[in-house]
Amino acid sequence: MNIHEYQGKSILKGFGVRIQEGIVADTAEQAVEAAKQLQAETGTGWWVVKAQIHAGGRGKGGGVKLAKNLDEVKERASQIIGMQLITPQTGPQGKKVNKVLIAQDVYYPGDTPTAEFYMSVLLNRSTGRNIIMYSTEGGMDIEEVAEHTPHLIFKEEIDPKVGLQGFQARKIAFNLGLTGEAHKEMVKFVTALYKAYEATDSSMFEINPVLKTSDNKILAVDAKVNLDENALFRHPDLAAMRDETEEDPTEVEAGKSNLNYVKLDGNVGCMVNGAGLAMATMDIIKLAGGDPANFLDVGGTANAKTVEAGFKIILSDPNVKAILINIFGGIVRCDRVAQGVIDAYNSIGNIPVPIIVRLQGTNAVEAKKLIDESGLQVYSAIEFKEAADLVTKVLAK
Ligand code: GDP
Ligand code: MN
């Protein structure tokens, strides 16, 4: 689950990571109040107005703007709130901005130059260990750095038995070219950041940029946090950070019915039990000349209710020209599922697209008979290839 920058920063702060302080606002008026409060608390004279959406690259898209007085705070905030922000990560349709973070300006002049670093903590799946990835090239696209100057990206792997060691934190500060006070600050920063990552069961913490201020403080200017959904039950406070307005509405709806749904761009809706079979089904749809409109795993206990919920979700996508239901009856009996399909069909009423049902496993033959005798516009199959051929056939019509 993704969360907003302001939420990620509040987690970091709770673990003792120094952050660019800020206050979130829903309206331009609130933004001005937030700016005043921030001035009283931090002494800042300038502010940064930052769009809060679940996507990076906001700066490039015009979603991060400096304001040098309260009038500018108001002006920038009213520009950004409500805008459809397009960044390299949002896709061409962009994302609507509902909130802004009013943050203190941390790029003030001082005794030493400021420096921007990149740092992220994530799981290295090939070794099964967490790594801290960091670079002197902060503030820019890390993919670009990885492509053109990969030697400027460092990795520090953490042994789960002992956790992040002091020497590792010092090595990171050293590799980033830091000495004196800034070096000490970086050691503290990395240590607290890693603690935050572990304690929240996160799958990623990405701080870009990590800033060395002109008075040698190290702080998080940005925070991109991905929480592990499977661990959210252990963190009700983090689960409450979910912002459904940032998620695909059909995916939210599917989640409520315990369906695993991911919207795609194709024309063949699919409903499958088990993620592996769902992937294979998407492949065979491609092979048959179609394009999957979604990934939908109804789980191990498909019944009339889940099938109906699945139908409704698939049908809410106007691109869907056919639906392929592919259920392997291992634990669930195929005739039960077939009855579920028939019941759902009758309860929804007129389903405007052809449906192909492939039921294999326990009671597959009985299931096919039920479908064939139902009198509904449903094509049935037992073999996978047969189902794929039916998809080709109905798409050609
Ligand atoms: P992103 O574009 O979504 O990654 O958003 P960031 O939070 O990383 O901000 C984008 C850029 O805005 C940063 O790389 C900085 O260059 C700039 N920025 C952020 N905070 C400040 C600030 O306090 N003062 C100034 N002058 N620039 C800032
Ligand atoms: Mn950033």
Side-chain angles (χ1 to χ4, degrees):
M1 181 180 98
N2 289 322
I3 55 176
H4 288 293
E5 173 197 357
Y6 78 93
Q7 295 166 319
K9 281 179 167 173
S10 79
I11 294 176
L12 289 173
K13 192 176 177 181
F15 284 90
V17 180
R18 198 192 291 277
I19 57 162
Q20 173 193 44
E21 296 286 343
I23 299 170
V24 74
D26 297 308
T27 64
E29 290 69 33
Q30 277 180 21
V32 173
E33 288 314 306
K36 285 184 194 157
Q37 193 184 330
L38 211 54
Q39 187 162 43
E41 286 171 6
T42 67
T44 191
W46 289 359
W47 299 267
V48 201
V49 182
K50 310 181 81 177
Q52 298 299 287
I53 56 166
H54 287 185
R58 296 163 301 165
K60 280 185 196 149
V64 179
K65 292 249 165 80
L66 188 67
K68 298 187 178 177
N69 55 55
L70 291 174
D71 286 339
E72 284 186 6
V73 169
K74 190 165 182 178
E75 191 188 313
R76 308 259 190 274
S78 56
Q79 266 167 13
I80 294 175
I81 296 172
M83 85 184 279
Q84 198 72 19
L85 179 57
I86 300 168
T87 85
Q89 296 180 15
T90 57
Q93 76 288 354
K95 276 199 151 174
K96 186 164 178 241
V97 182
N98 297 315
K99 288 179 194 306
V100 288
L101 179 65
I102 306 303
Q104 63 175 151
D105 168 40
V106 284
Y107 287 63
Y108 45 82
D111 295 336
T112 61
T114 58
E116 290 179 318
F117 309 117
Y118 171 92
M119 189 172 292
S120 59
V121 191
L122 65 162
L123 178 67
N124 179 353
R125 290 182 185 276
S126 60
T127 59
R129 292 179 173 200
N130 292 322
I131 52 167
I132 297 176
M133 201 156 67
Y134 60 102
S135 174
T136 48
E137 308 305 291
M140 47 180 116
D141 218 337
I142 198 65
E143 284 79 11
E144 294 266 304
V145 182
E147 195 176 324
H148 301 295
T149 48
H151 60 283
L152 296 178
I153 298 182
F154 300 93
K155 287 174 190 152
E156 191 65 31
E157 195 156 288
I158 291 115
D159 183 337
K161 289 198 293 295
V162 290
L164 176 69
Q165 298 290 287
F167 80 89
Q168 293 181 298
R170 291 192 294 276
K171 184 163 112 196
I172 291 170
F174 177 82
N175 282 339
L176 291 173
L178 299 171
T179 55
E181 190 54 31
H183 178 101
K184 281 191 211 155
E185 276 265 323
M186 182 57 86
V187 169
K188 270 197 276 178
F189 182 92
V190 174
T191 309
L193 171 65
Y194 189 71
K195 208 191 291 171
Y197 167 86
E198 273 213 308
T200 51
D201 289 315
S202 288
S203 17
M204 187 183 69
F205 258 88
E206 184 184 60
I207 318 295
N208 188 21
V210 173
L211 183 74
K212 184 194 82 69
T213 62
S214 58
D215 50 357
N216 295 311
K217 294 194 178 79
I218 301 291
L219 49 82
V221 170
D222 195 0
K224 185 170 177 188
V225 176
N226 188 260
L227 302 168
D228 182 350
E229 301 235 357
N230 296 311
L232 277 182
F233 74 97
R234 309 209 294 190
H235 307 283
D237 51 330
L238 302 181
M241 291 182 173
R242 167 160 256 143
D243 182 352
E244 288 188 348
T245 65
E246 288 286 330
E247 298 174 12
D248 184 287
T250 19
E251 288 180 18
V252 173
E253 200 48 46
K256 287 181 189 154
S257 308
N258 274 325
L259 300 169
N260 237 322
Y261 173 89
V262 181
K263 168 133 181 43
L264 302 167
D265 298 327
N267 54 1
V268 182
C270 38
M271 179 155 30
V272 189
N273 65 338
L277 187 58
M279 303 295 270
T281 305
M282 288 158 55
D283 282 347
I284 207 147
I285 286 172
K286 276 266 188 198
L287 202 62
D291 244 324
N294 65 278
F295 169 97
L296 174 58
D297 173 12
V298 294
T301 53
N303 55 34
K305 252 183 111 181
T306 39
V307 172
E308 185 173 341
F311 264 136
K312 288 196 172 140
I313 284 159
I314 292 175
L315 288 168
S316 69
D317 177 355
N319 294 331
V320 169
K321 298 282 172 286
I323 299 177
L324 173 57
I325 303 179
N326 190 10
I327 303 280
F328 184 80
I331 298 166
V332 29
R333 278 169 36 196
C334 291
D335 52 331
R336 285 254 176 89
V337 177
Q339 196 55 52
V341 172
I342 296 165
D343 291 352
Y345 201 113
N346 287 329
S347 136
I348 297 174
N350 187 29
I351 295 182
V353 297
I355 297 171
I356 298 120
V357 185
R358 182 248 175 175
L359 291 160
Q360 177 60 286
T362 313
N363 291 357
V365 177
E366 289 84 341
K368 185 171 184 335
K369 194 157 170 263
L370 271 175
I371 301 252
D372 289 344
E373 290 172 1
S374 68
L376 300 174
Q377 267 304 305
V378 180
Y379 304 84
S380 67
I382 293 181
E383 295 305 321
F384 206 163
K385 180 68 173 47
E386 242 183 293
D389 291 342
L390 282 169
V391 171
T392 316
K393 204 173 105 190
V394 302
L395 286 179
K397 273 191 189 164

